[in-house]
Amino acid sequence: MTTAKLEFADKTHEYKVRSGTIGPDVIDISSLYATTGAFTYDPGFTSTASCESGITFIDGDNGILLHRGYPIDQLAEHGDFLEVCYLLLYGELPTKAQKDDFDYRITRHTMVHEQMSKFFSGFRRDAHPMAVMCGVVGALSAFYHDSTDISDPHQRMIASMRLIAKMPTIAAMAYKYHVGQPFVYPKNDLGYAANFLHMCFAVPCEEYKINPVLARAMERIFILHADHEQNASTSTVRLAGSSGANPFACIAAGIASLWGPAHGGANEAALNMLSDIGTVEHIPEFIARAKDKNDPFRLMGFGHRVYKNYDPRAKIMQKTAHEVLGELGIKDDPMLDVAMELEKIALTDEYFIEKKLYPNVDFYSGITLKALGFPTSMFTVLFAVARTVGWVAQWKEMIEDPQQKIGRPRQLYTGATERDYVPIAKR
Ligand code: SDX
């Protein structure tokens, strides 16, 4: 066991250094305040490991993403989404029998309580679907009191299955409500992604035919968004769960955090940006704005806190974009032309090279989702559907960690020192 020494206030303090299986070591500073009377200071947690986890590993410098040790490109190529869900939840790839049982159990939780459909009528039709998701998913805890006792492993697993199974149904209902069409119930003979496409795009007037290429692309998009270490929304779910809040409320908190344009909202923002750029000729103007310190504009879909190399998911997403556009016979999508040219220019621009800004998972997803028929406002909803398994797996890992305690960070206080109340007549 190695240690790290800190010279502070004329004293030398030593802290344990721990190594993981791969990745950076950590300096265990949990006793630092007790031994020095000082806090560490790390806004944005750029140098802070908030927990120990065995679920997902990312190496930002080498563009590596592993789920329980399996590389994302292999999972996206060979697996389906529920297989990745099983892997994230249980830690191993399922046998055929385990996979069939898991698929069966998830499929039979896809319906929501019929009363839930009444929630939607309280929203305006043009409400942002993410606002609807925050509300309706949070309300799930009002229906499933039999799976909110987080100390019961059986209830934890039931709640996990319910969340993974019901998110596509609720997301599809949010979409149908938004476009003014009737809700479509899940069908037990369809796979996860095909069922979702069916619930979104089937109408009572005719048979909806599943396009296997598009369903496969949807499965892959879900896989690419399933989990991603301790990102903002996952950290939100962990912090909410650390107080003992029920899993439905914690996932609703994760949805709220994911909505931000710096996080999951970037896929919607990236497509809106490509639309604002419009044509290849306008790219230099936007690149200049992204580099201008006085302009808050950023290239949406570019940059990442961890990936200082290409986001491995972006490569697979780009390939999926071409597959979907090809299958749909969309030859010259101006947005794809702008995206490809923007990527080419940005990757050779000194500013982006120096700041190590590469396309991330959100850069190409918008083009693909638009081609699949989703409105831009639904893009982050789809991200939330996929990320639910990651949030649930991380929440479960935290609850089952014997060291688990409520998360309660401190601060550097720079406000007023103590002073007496002044009556209003004397102010
Ligand atoms: C996701 O954490 C995860 O894992 C998230 C995610 C997941 O799967 O959960 O991967 C999903 O959220 C992907 C990221 C999607 N967000 C965007 O595409 C929005 C645009 N990107 C930026 O907002 C930014 O890159 C972040 C938020 C993603 C990362 O920001 P950081 O790590 O806090 O980096 P930073 O803001 O400190 O930027 C470093 C420098 C800054 O310049 P200086 O102050 O050093 O001069 O790079 C610049 C920034 O101005 N910069 C950009 C830029 N991103 C960073 N400049 C122009 N365009 C950009 N996109």
Side-chain angles (χ1 to χ4, degrees):
M1 170 69 70
T2 54
T3 60
K5 286 191 175 63
L6 172 70
E7 301 292 333
F8 180 76
D10 302 331
K11 279 198 191 137
T12 302
H13 304 270
E14 278 200 75
Y15 300 97
K16 279 187 302 218
V17 174
R18 294 183 58 197
S19 300
T21 40
I22 37 179
D25 289 346
V26 297
I27 302 170
D28 183 341
I29 55 159
S30 42
S31 63
L32 183 131
Y33 177 54
T35 51
T36 67
F39 299 136
T40 58
Y41 184 67
D42 183 17
F45 309 122
T46 51
S47 304
T48 293
S50 60
C51 64
E52 177 176 337
S53 178
I55 298 173
T56 292
F57 174 76
I58 45 184
D59 174 337
D61 293 330
N62 298 301
I64 292 170
L65 167 53
L66 307 177
H67 287 317
R68 303 284 192 181
Y70 294 97
I72 187 65
D73 54 323
Q74 294 182 30
L75 292 171
E77 189 62 36
H78 305 297
D80 69 24
F81 182 65
L82 285 184
E83 183 174 47
V84 173
C85 289
Y86 186 99
L87 175 66
L88 291 171
L89 282 171
Y90 295 105
E92 297 296 335
L93 287 170
T95 62
K96 174 87 175 61
Q98 288 166 333
K99 176 72 169 50
D100 291 347
D101 170 62
F102 188 71
D103 286 3
Y104 180 88
R105 288 192 290 146
I106 289 285
T107 302
R108 274 145 192 84
H109 279 291
T110 47
M111 282 178 72
V112 294
H113 193 292
E114 198 61 15
Q115 283 298 104
M116 290 204 84
S117 58
K118 302 198 178 350
F119 279 128
F120 292 83
S121 52
F123 290 100
R124 286 174 33 160
R125 291 280 181 175
D126 62 355
H128 194 293
M130 279 298 277
V132 175
M133 292 300 288
C134 288
V136 177
V137 172
L140 279 171
S141 48
F143 288 83
Y144 296 111
H145 286 289
D146 62 337
S147 61
T148 51
D149 174 1
I150 61 163
S151 63
D152 175 352
H154 176 69
Q155 291 195 36
R156 286 202 298 271
M157 190 39 78
I158 286 280
S160 304
M161 307 293 277
R162 278 175 166 154
L163 279 158
I164 294 165
K166 296 180 195 305
M167 278 297 275
T169 308
I170 295 170
M173 291 169 83
Y175 171 63
K176 284 304 204 186
Y177 186 76
H178 189 61
V179 295
Q181 289 180 0
F183 297 143
V184 174
Y185 288 96
K187 286 180 68 168
N188 290 354
D189 59 348
L190 292 177
Y192 194 87
N195 212 352
F196 178 63
L197 292 174
H198 175 263
M199 289 189 284
C200 288
F201 299 122
V203 288
C205 329
E206 61 187 30
E207 181 69 23
Y208 176 76
K209 288 184 184 49
I210 301 287
N211 177 322
V213 173
L214 303 188
R216 179 74 203 128
M218 193 75 251
E219 288 277 343
R220 199 178 304 138
I221 291 168
F222 283 152
I223 291 170
L224 292 177
H225 289 81
D227 189 49
H228 210 242
E229 203 215 58
Q230 304 311 318
N231 58 83
S233 53
T234 298
S235 300
T236 300
V237 170
R238 278 181 172 260
L239 196 54
S242 74
S243 73
N246 74 71
F248 305 102
C250 295
I251 298 307
I255 294 171
S257 171
L258 185 75
W259 195 359
H263 189 14
N267 53 16
E268 176 177 0
L271 200 90
N272 291 336
M273 175 191 72
L274 292 174
S275 164
D276 292 347
I277 293 173
T279 62
V280 170
E281 291 70 32
H282 291 135
I283 291 177
E285 168 201 331
F286 282 81
I287 294 249
R289 284 188 55 199
K291 292 155 69 170
D292 178 357
K293 278 273 149 267
N294 302 316
D295 188 331
F297 172 76
R298 288 193 166 182
L299 278 189
M300 302 317 283
F302 266 79
H304 198 278
R305 169 63 57 78
V306 179
Y307 289 126
K308 300 308 175 190
N309 193 322
Y310 212 89
D311 181 338
R313 301 168 296 176
K315 279 196 179 71
I316 304 165
M317 186 56 78
Q318 186 192 46
K319 180 170 159 270
T320 305
H322 284 293
E323 261 176 36
V324 167
L325 293 175
E327 173 65 18
L328 294 170
I330 303 172
K331 294 274 179 290
D332 49 357
D333 179 343
M335 277 201 214
L336 183 63
D337 299 340
V338 170
M340 306 278 285
E341 185 60 20
L342 176 58
E343 178 183 3
K344 204 160 69 183
I345 296 173
L347 294 185
T348 55
D349 182 290
E350 205 33 58
Y351 175 89
F352 292 90
I353 294 169
E354 186 245 325
K355 295 199 185 292
K356 300 184 176 178
L357 301 174
Y358 292 87
N360 57 47
V361 67
D362 295 305
F363 187 62
Y364 283 104
S365 55
I367 294 166
T368 314
L369 297 175
K370 176 174 172 283
L372 286 171
F374 294 103
T376 320
S377 60
M378 277 293 290
F379 290 2
T380 311
V381 172
L382 271 62
F383 196 149
V385 169
R387 186 52 57 89
T388 293
V389 62
W391 289 332
V392 161
Q394 299 267 356
W395 166 79
K396 202 167 150 295
E397 181 181 65
M398 174 196 66
I399 296 292
E400 291 164 3
D401 176 352
Q403 310 290 321
Q404 191 269 328
K405 57 175 73 169
I406 189 166
R408 207 288 187 206
R410 301 302 302 274
Q411 63 181 10
L412 171 67
Y413 179 68
T414 53
T417 54
E418 187 172 342
R419 51 184 171 164
D420 293 329
Y421 180 83
V422 177
I424 195 162
K426 293 190 173 168
R427 289 178 207 157

